[in-house]
């Protein structure tokens, strides 16, 4: 009877632990960054602030500074990201002010995570990703999602070439005991050998899974079906579409 509840509880715990791990940063570097941006810590959503060392550039860190638009309220907030590449001490090398506004009300903006995977788009350009992770607050209707944007450094700024592409969505409805239906889409980005306008095509592999649970003879029984699909994003000289 409790198998499904245990699975969902474990999933939510792991999701929270993953989000918390993305919030670790160096205090000294943080202070240097804010001083250069002429910001007070009260103007930044500090729980969403995150950084990660770049594996392909020496003495370089990617830093996401979520700047609050208005006050940080218990029932919602909005932020816009200033994205930086700095040295180990926090001195800014590249700066990009993202126009995307990230809001949190019905669904909670839980974290930003930095993806330094091997997004080698051509012989000169390696991109990195920043993922916005959301979660819902309803236990009978669990929900979470993750959207990725891709950037690469160009001089003292960054180029944004993929905007908030959904990589993962999980949703469902259940009776808090056993019976319910759940749907999950998980996508991965594969850098293809084919190129368009000098940039590698991005092949998106998506697995869509549906789960059904119901009580049979006092036991909580689960069945599932899944389907894999592919699509290709091509570079149109400005962004991937």
């Amino acid at each position: 009877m409790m198998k499904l509840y245990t699975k969902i509880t474990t999933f939510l715990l792991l999701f929270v632990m993953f989000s918390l791990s993305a919030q670790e940063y160096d205090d000294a570097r943080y202070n240097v960054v804010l001083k250069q941006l002429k910001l007070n810590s009260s103007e930044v959503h500090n729980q969403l602030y995150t950084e990660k060392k770049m594996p392909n550039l020496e003495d370089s860190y990617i830093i996401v500074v979520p700047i609050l638009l208005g006050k940080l309220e218990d029932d919602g907030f909005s932020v816009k990201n200033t994205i930086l590449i700095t040295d180990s001490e926090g001195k800014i090398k590249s700066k990009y002010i993202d126009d995307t506004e990230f809001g949190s009300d019905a669904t909670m903006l839980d974290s930003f995570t930095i993806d330094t995977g091997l997004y080698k788009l051509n012989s000169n350009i390696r991109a990195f990703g920043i993922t916005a992770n959301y979660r819902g607050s309803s236990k009978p209707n669990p929900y979470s999602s993750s959207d990725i944007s891709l950037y690469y450094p160009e001089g003292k700024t960054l180029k944004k070439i993929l905007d908030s592409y959904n990589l993962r969505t999980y949703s469902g409805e259940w009776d808090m005991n056993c019976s319910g239906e759940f749907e999950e889409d998980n996508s991965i980005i594969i850098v293809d050998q084919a190129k368009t306008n000098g940039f590698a095509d991005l092949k998106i592999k998506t697995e869509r899974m549906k789960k059904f649970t119901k009580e049979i003879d006092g036991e909580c029984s689960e069945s599932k079906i899944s389907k894999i699909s592919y699509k290709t994003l091509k570079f149109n000289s400005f962004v991937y579409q």
Side-chain angles (χ1 to χ4, degrees):
M1 296 288 289
M2 297 299 292
K3 288 181 180 178
L4 182 60
Y5 182 82
T6 301
K7 287 181 180 179
I8 292 177
T9 302
T10 301
F11 166 78
L12 292 175
L13 179 60
L14 289 173
F15 190 82
V16 171
M17 290 174 64
F18 174 77
S19 299
L20 288 174
S21 67
Q23 296 166 9
E24 298 176 359
Y25 55 84
D26 181 84
D27 287 338
R29 192 159 45 238
Y30 167 87
N31 290 327
V32 171
V33 164
L34 261 59
K35 184 176 181 180
Q36 292 172 94
L37 296 177
K38 298 180 180 179
L39 290 172
N40 295 319
S41 61
S42 61
E43 299 174 271
V44 177
H45 194 311
N46 293 292
Q47 289 183 321
L48 299 178
Y49 180 103
T50 189
E51 62 179 34
K52 188 173 185 180
K53 192 176 187 305
M54 296 186 76
N56 57 313
L57 290 178
E58 186 178 352
D59 191 30
S60 295
Y61 288 77
I62 301 165
I63 298 180
V64 179
V65 186
I67 300 175
L68 287 164
L69 303 175
K71 294 183 178 180
L72 177 59
E73 306 286 356
D74 291 337
D75 58 350
F77 59 85
S78 295
V79 296
K80 281 189 177 182
N81 287 336
T82 293
I83 304 167
L84 308 172
I85 296 177
T86 77
D87 63 16
S88 59
E89 294 182 352
K91 183 179 179 181
I92 296 173
K93 299 179 178 181
S94 301
K95 174 183 173 183
Y96 178 78
I97 300 174
D98 201 321
D99 289 333
T100 302
E101 182 175 330
F102 297 91
S104 182
D105 40 49
T107 58
M108 176 66 69
L109 176 59
D110 195 62
S111 67
F112 291 109
T113 52
I114 299 169
D115 180 359
T116 55
L118 195 58
Y119 297 113
K120 186 74 172 177
L121 304 181
N122 59 37
S123 59
N124 298 316
I125 292 174
R126 176 172 170 173
F128 62 87
I130 295 176
T131 303
N133 303 299
Y134 296 86
R135 60 180 172 85
S137 59
S138 171
K139 291 183 179 180
N141 298 98
Y143 175 85
S144 62
S145 67
S146 297
D147 301 329
I148 192 170
S149 297
L150 292 180
Y151 309 81
Y152 70 86
E154 185 177 76
K156 294 185 177 181
T157 186
L158 303 172
K159 291 290 186 180
K160 185 178 186 179
I161 50 175
L162 182 65
D163 185 19
S164 298
Y165 189 86
N166 181 256
L167 282 183
R168 183 184 173 282
T169 300
Y170 174 84
S171 61
E173 181 177 1
W174 68 311
D175 62 2
M176 299 287 291
N177 183 37
C178 174
S179 298
E181 297 183 10
F182 306 87
E183 188 170 297
E184 184 171 4
D185 287 357
N186 282 298
S187 298
I188 60 172
I189 298 175
I190 302 167
V191 179
D192 204 353
Q193 291 185 347
K195 287 184 171 62
T196 303
N197 294 315
F199 280 63
D201 295 345
L202 302 180
K203 184 178 290 186
I204 312 296
K205 178 182 178 182
T206 301
E207 181 180 16
R208 170 165 290 185
M209 182 178 296
K210 293 185 177 181
K211 297 180 183 179
F212 307 89
T213 57
K214 62 181 178 179
E215 185 178 338
I216 300 177
D217 297 329
E219 294 291 331
C220 194
S221 177
E222 178 182 279
S223 60
K224 63 180 70 175
I225 56 175
S226 64
K227 180 181 179 180
I228 292 178
S229 62
Y230 294 88
K231 69 179 294 185
T232 299
L233 303 179
K234 297 186 177 185
F235 189 68
N236 69 1
S237 296
F238 299 99
V239 295
Y240 278 95
Q241 291 184 329

